Amino acid sequence: MKFDVLLTAAAKFAVCTLVVGSLISCSSTSDQPKPAELAPNAGLLGVRLAWTAKVGVIDFPLDVKVNDGTVAVASSDGVVASLDASTGAELWRTNVGSQIAAGVGSDGRFAAVITRANELVSLDGGREIWRQKLPAQGFTAPLVAGGRVFVLAADRSVTAFDGLSGRKLWAQQRPGESLVLRQAGVLLAVGDTLVAGLAGRLVGLNPTNGAIQWESPIASPRGTNDIERLVDLVGRVSRDGEVVCARAFQATVGCVNAARGTLLWTKPAFGHVGVHGDEKLVYGVESDGKIVAWRRADGERAWVSERLRYRKLTAPLVVGRSIAVGDETGLIHLLSREDGAALTRVATDGSAVVAAPVLAAGALVAVTRGGGVFGFLPE
């Protein structure tokens, strides 16, 4: 799997893609380390496939959105669909008429996606109600909350639109940089604060007018060139009450109190996908496939598992007494939250799991690059 960078107008030179692994390089896939061999399935946790659904092929940073027992998904060819998380039954499906670059944002009624034509499209029950042209590309799913739609764009702007009319309410623009990731960033609501990842910082904004209330650094640029100085925050995040923990691409993991805007801790971490957690631990996947658990209180490591190295894993999800990660072969691995020991694994359709798994109506939901949507239930 490759992670591209986006050159802004300020960039005057060619760069290589960012390759999963311990180095930034232009090497071929044949140079990549061999994935770890899997031990026989431990089978210590009963999980069964409850339902399946299908959308089109997915080659953008999909964010699977869960609201009130529904799951919103999308495919690259413009399809957006809402599914019943209990049965997989399709509630509605539509095509926005353009390839999708980011999504899905949803509050359960309204859904929003960003197209590759830089358009923000808003849907109500599967019916398009408005679309707005954006000034820059977007790779982060819109946030639909409080009657508004918020967009984090690749030029590090945050813009708010009225949810019903699509009228632009405000925009907050930060200085752009020559490189940004073609990867989902951080955008969420914490109480009455809109929290966005801008470069290596978590930033708290007033959702009414866009005023910045606080900034807290997770990572700072380092190195001598634009690639080495890239410190974008990546989704998903781990939130426990007022505390939000996030990853800065190939740099650090850290936690911030989003009510006060204070940095609690940061630790070096070399990964490219987001984190998840519970009240005690924050879990993350490093770029070489090591799975790490940090103590939420102080960031010290609780354990490290190397059993899935180089298997190109998704961000993790806490599920009961386990954490779930997907890999490039379509397997979902469930590991113990206590020490990373293997509990069980289940198969999908053999294509890579493209989005971090989610939990909806008691079902563990995974989506693959081939467009398969799978709902698993504990037995």
Side-chain angles (χ1 to χ4, degrees), residues 189-277:
V190 181
D192 294 328
T193 302
L194 176 67
V195 178
L198 299 177
R201 294 172 175 266
L202 276 181
V203 178
L205 301 99
N206 184 324
T208 303
N209 56 24
I212 293 177
Q213 299 174 327
W214 53 261
E215 298 187 30
S216 191
I218 299 292
S220 299
R222 73 270 185 223
T224 58
N225 59 55
D226 285 339
I227 292 180
E228 292 174 347
R229 292 174 62 81
L230 184 62
V231 290
D232 274 342
L233 301 187
V234 298
R236 66 182 7 154
V237 300
S238 172
R239 179 188 171 191
D240 184 54
E242 298 174 342
V243 176
V244 175
C245 302
R247 180 188 294 278
F249 180 82
Q250 306 290 37
T252 58
V253 168
C255 291
V256 171
N257 184 303
R260 302 192 299 267
T262 54
L263 179 66
L264 302 178
W265 56 263
T266 63
K267 295 293 180 181
F270 199 80
H272 61 270
V273 295
V275 297
H276 207 230

Side-chain angles (χ1 to χ4, degrees), residues 298-312:
D298 56 15
E300 294 302 315
R301 286 192 176 190
W303 54 261
V304 178
S305 171
E306 299 193 11
R307 68 182 64 251
L308 299 177
R309 293 195 73 183
Y310 306 114
R311 298 195 66 85
K312 298 181 182 177

Side-chain angles (χ1 to χ4, degrees), residues 12-370:
K12 302 298 183 182
F13 53 89
V15 296
C16 306
T17 55
L18 297 185
V19 182
V20 176
S22 59
L23 296 174
I24 296 175
S25 69
C26 296
S27 60
S28 68
T29 55
S30 62
D31 297 328
Q32 300 305 307
K34 183 179 179 181
E37 294 289 338
L38 295 177
N41 193 350
L44 300 177
L45 186 66
V47 179
R48 65 177 177 85
L49 178 63
W51 55 263
T52 64
K54 187 76 173 179
V55 291
V57 172
I58 300 163
D59 63 1
F60 68 94
L62 174 68
D63 186 1
V64 182
K65 192 65 177 179
V66 176
N67 283 285
D68 299 325
T70 65
V71 179
V73 294
S75 60
S76 298
D77 61 2
V79 169
V80 185
S82 177
L83 308 175
D84 184 315
S86 298
T87 65
E90 195 171 285
L91 302 176
W92 55 259
R93 174 185 292 243
T94 193
N95 194 308
V96 299
S98 182
Q99 290 195 321
I100 292 175
V104 178
S106 176
D107 64 358
R109 174 184 172 184
F110 299 101
V113 295
I114 299 172
T115 72
R116 293 187 181 179
N118 295 359
E119 291 179 317
L120 171 65
V121 183
S122 181
L123 307 169
D124 181 359
R127 179 180 60 88
E128 182 178 328
I129 55 174
W130 54 263
R131 66 174 61 202
Q132 287 280 8
K133 187 72 174 180
L134 300 175
Q137 291 178 281
F139 307 108
T140 303
L143 173 65
V144 183
R148 296 177 174 87
V149 180
F150 302 95
V151 172
L152 172 65
D155 63 354
R156 296 196 169 86
S157 64
V158 181
T159 308
F161 298 87
D162 181 87
L164 288 175
S165 68
R167 179 173 61 91
K168 182 178 174 180
L169 301 176
W170 55 259
Q172 177 63 248
Q173 177 70 59
R174 300 300 300 272
E177 297 176 23
S178 55
L179 296 182
V180 295
L181 288 173
R182 290 181 180 271
Q183 188 172 337
V186 174
L187 189 65
L188 73 155
V190 181
D192 294 328
T193 302
L194 176 67
V195 178
L198 299 177
R201 294 172 175 266
L202 276 181
V203 178
L205 301 99
N206 184 324
T208 303
N209 56 24
I212 293 177
Q213 299 174 327
W214 53 261
E215 298 187 30
S216 191
I218 299 292
S220 299
R222 73 270 185 223
T224 58
N225 59 55
D226 285 339
I227 292 180
E228 292 174 347
R229 292 174 62 81
L230 184 62
V231 290
D232 274 342
L233 301 187
V234 298
R236 66 182 7 154
V237 300
S238 172
R239 179 188 171 191
D240 184 54
E242 298 174 342
V243 176
V244 175
C245 302
R247 180 188 294 278
F249 180 82
Q250 306 290 37
T252 58
V253 168
C255 291
V256 171
N257 184 303
R260 302 192 299 267
T262 54
L263 179 66
L264 302 178
W265 56 263
T266 63
K267 295 293 180 181
F270 199 80
H272 61 270
V273 295
V275 297
H276 207 230
D278 53 34
E279 68 281 0
K280 294 181 180 179
L281 297 174
V282 177
Y283 306 95
V285 173
E286 301 294 83
S287 289
D288 62 1
K290 288 197 296 284
I291 301 173
V292 181
W294 295 271
R295 294 198 311 234
R296 184 176 287 274
D298 56 15
E300 294 302 315
R301 286 192 176 190
W303 54 261
V304 178
S305 171
E306 299 193 11
R307 68 182 64 251
L308 299 177
R309 293 195 73 183
Y310 306 114
R311 298 195 66 85
K312 298 181 182 177
L313 305 175
T314 67
L317 169 74
V318 172
V319 185
R321 62 187 180 97
S322 67
I323 57 172
V325 294
D327 74 14
E328 67 172 342
T329 69
L331 294 175
I332 305 295
H333 304 266
L334 288 99
L335 311 174
S336 168
R337 285 163 56 180
E338 299 301 319
D339 57 9
L343 297 178
T344 195
R345 62 176 178 264
V346 292
T348 57
D349 60 11
S351 64
V353 181
V354 293
V358 298
L359 193 63
L364 170 63
V365 180
V367 183
T368 68
R369 186 171 304 283

